[in-house]
Amino acid sequence: MVDAHVTAARPWRRAQHLSSVPYLPGLDGMRALAVVAVMIYHANSDWLTGGFLGVEVFFVISGYLITLLLMAERERTGRVDLVDFWLRRARRLLPALFVMMFLLLAYTAFFKGDVLGKLRGDLIGGIAYVSNWYQIWVGQGYSASGDFAPLRHLWSLAVEEQFYLIWPIVMLLLLRGGTRKLANTALFLFGAAVVVTVVTAVLYHKGTVGQPDVTPGAYWHVGDRDISKADALYLSTITRSSGLLLGSAFAMVWRPVAIMRSPLRNAGRAMDLVGLAGLIGLGLACWRMSFLSPEGADPWLFRGGFFLTGLATLAVIAAVTHRYSVAGKLIGNPVFKYVGTRS
């Protein structure tokens, strides 16, 4: 999955700055719902054809929380410590990642020695956090489901980590003037997400996807490589950045502590309705959308599906981060919170 567990443990009563991040159990609950959807999809995609959209939910949550945390650090200390930020991410992710890859390597060496050589590129891509680009280049995306690619799921972690590498530097520049003038930046980021969505829709190949010699329009031809358009649009950091951008933009205009100091502090019931609408939207998306079928890549997915999923996720975030909403308590219940913190 992705490294989205970055919620600060600061209680509401101690949050002094407008961008402070109190502990928000509802976000852990959202992670639980998202990871269960992804697990159902991978267990049997016929049960929930769009369950993979749980990854998009993670992307939006991560963009939201990371941006909030960076803003909170800037308000609290007057600076953003990039090295400390990157070290925290490394401490959280690298130990588990290396253990998992070592165990996989040992298992493959002992029980599947004939395919051991196929792991070399996956391992390097996993260590360097470029698994998504590696899979696009060698054709090991989800449209090539028959290949031996046990580390295919690392593509989303790669997208996340590339965001973690670049975004703090961008925020360092944006925060030079403080956090009070970020509303315009939020609008720009929202527009960037729209542009990414439009570009994805334009590049999407309509129709069946077969071998390159049968459906050449479904591929980009780079030298002697045939790059699947469906896989590239699904896996690339650029085309999957819309969720991260939406979450980041929302953090700049929806700061939980600031909301509690505004007239919206009394809008808990309204936020519950917004959150319910978001949950219904996410449920419909997971139920109706798909990635690839005999008819080709799902046009609903590549022509705005990721963007609409992001908007629905923002609606739920707005509800669960409101101190007086019922949604935050329901979705942040102990069972969901337990699953979400381990997702």
Side-chain angles (χ1 to χ4, degrees), residues 6-285:
V6 292
T7 310
R10 185 191 304 271
W12 283 96
R13 64 180 179 275
R14 295 181 186 173
Q16 300 297 321
H17 302 285
L18 292 180
S19 299
S20 296
V21 188
Y23 178 56
L24 302 166
L27 293 180
D28 283 329
M30 290 181 65
R31 294 187 184 110
L33 295 174
V35 76
V36 168
V38 173
M39 292 173 68
I40 292 174
Y41 173 78
H42 283 293
N44 188 334
S45 60
D46 291 335
W47 295 346
L48 195 64
T49 58
F52 58 85
L53 288 170
V55 176
E56 191 69 7
V57 174
F58 267 81
F59 285 163
V60 177
I61 293 175
S62 291
Y64 178 74
L65 279 172
I66 287 297
T67 302
L68 265 186
L69 289 171
L70 291 169
M71 292 165 61
E73 182 179 356
R74 175 63 171 77
E75 284 191 351
R76 187 176 65 254
T77 67
R79 61 192 291 267
V80 173
D81 189 334
L82 295 179
V83 174
D84 182 64
F85 175 88
W86 289 324
L87 286 176
R88 290 199 305 269
R89 303 280 75 73
R91 286 195 297 267
R92 182 179 297 279
L93 290 172
L94 292 182
L97 176 68
F98 289 158
V99 169
M100 182 271 291
M101 290 196 295
F102 173 77
L103 293 176
L104 174 64
L105 181 61
Y107 171 82
T108 306
F110 280 108
F111 300 105
K112 292 181 176 291
D114 56 323
V115 294
L116 184 60
K118 293 185 178 180
L119 275 181
R120 186 183 303 111
D122 291 294
L123 289 171
I124 295 173
I127 293 173
Y129 284 119
V130 292
S131 292
N132 61 325
W133 296 109
Y134 172 76
Q135 291 172 25
I136 291 171
W137 183 248
V138 301
Q140 286 185 358
Y142 284 102
S143 65
S145 57
D147 290 350
F148 176 75
L151 295 176
R152 181 179 283 135
H153 61 291
L154 291 185
W155 76 268
S156 60
L157 190 59
V159 171
E160 192 95 356
E161 285 304 304
Q162 290 160 38
F163 171 73
Y164 288 167
L165 180 64
I166 297 172
W167 189 241
I169 299 174
V170 174
M171 285 297 292
L172 187 65
L173 298 175
L174 294 177
L175 292 172
R176 286 182 301 177
T179 60
R180 296 183 179 277
K181 299 180 180 180
L182 289 178
N184 291 337
T185 303
L187 185 61
F188 172 80
L189 294 177
F190 182 86
V194 172
V195 170
V196 169
T197 301
V198 171
V199 170
T200 301
V202 170
L203 296 177
Y204 153 79
H205 170 75
K206 182 180 180 180
T208 59
V209 178
Q211 294 300 314
D213 57 335
V214 178
T215 57
Y219 296 83
W220 287 301
H221 308 285
V222 182
D224 60 348
R225 298 277 181 174
D226 296 307
I227 307 296
S228 167
K229 291 182 179 180
D231 282 338
L233 294 176
Y234 184 85
L235 298 173
S236 85
T237 308
I238 299 171
T239 53
R240 292 307 298 270
S241 65
S242 61
L244 293 162
L245 291 170
L246 286 174
S248 299
F250 196 55
M252 295 176 181
V253 296
W254 189 269
R255 294 177 281 176
V257 172
I259 293 300
M260 289 301 101
R261 300 182 185 182
S262 76
L264 286 173
R265 66 181 177 274
N266 299 317
R269 299 293 82 82
M271 288 300 102
D272 285 329
L273 293 177
V274 170
L276 178 61
L279 282 175
I280 292 173
L282 289 174
L284 288 174

